[in-house]
Amino acid sequence: QVQLVESGGGLVQAGGSLRLSCLASGRTFGTYAMGWFRQAPGKEREFVGVVNWSGATTYYADSVKGRFTISRDNAKNTVYLQMNGLEPEDTAVYYCAVAARSWRIPTADPADFGSWGQGTQVTVSS
């Protein structure tokens, strides 16, 4: 089973940037799509974006499109979430997750993902 550990969260002013990292264990990391989700207090977990197994294809939620970028380095078993132009509405705990099935790009449904990280807090002040 893949274990995921996120890092890079913190407090940033509106308009600022942060880069989150997600380190995965397991030798088959490079065959699975990876996703990022977030959850604000009192709200449901929300899809942020996904990257396919090679890093060549990405999809994003409309709320972050043009501001957030997902990338991956399979040699380092790591996926990244670069967040620019942060807004107070982006405040949430951010989670990375590995797709439940290898090679396929999952939908935005959390049920399409298997292992999850513990999350990292991102707070954007106005």
Side-chain angles (χ1 to χ4, degrees), residues 4 11 23 30 34 58-59 72 89 92 109-112 116 118:
L4 305 173
L11 174 64
L23 176 63
M34 296 292 296
T58 53
Y59 296 101
R72 65 189 296 162
E89 293 74 22
D109 187 344
D112 275 3
W116 294 76
Q118 82 291 346

Side-chain angles (χ1 to χ4, degrees), residues 27-51:
R27 293 174 292 178
T28 60
F29 172 80
T31 65
Y32 287 83
M34 296 292 296
W36 285 96
F37 288 76
R38 64 186 182 185
Q39 188 166 19
K43 295 187 177 181
E44 293 186 352
R45 191 163 295 190
E46 174 190 20
F47 172 79
V48 172
V50 65
V51 60

Side-chain angles (χ1 to χ4, degrees), residues 45-69:
R45 191 163 295 190
E46 174 190 20
F47 172 79
V48 172
V50 65
V51 60
N52 79 323
W53 64 272
S54 69
T57 302
T58 53
Y59 296 101
Y60 300 95
D62 288 343
S63 58
V64 306
K65 199 173 297 182
R67 299 187 298 123
F68 290 11
T69 302

Side-chain angles (χ1 to χ4, degrees), residues 5 10 16 18 34 68 70 75 97 104:
V5 179
L18 280 175
M34 296 292 296
F68 290 11
I70 299 174
R104 297 176 60 176

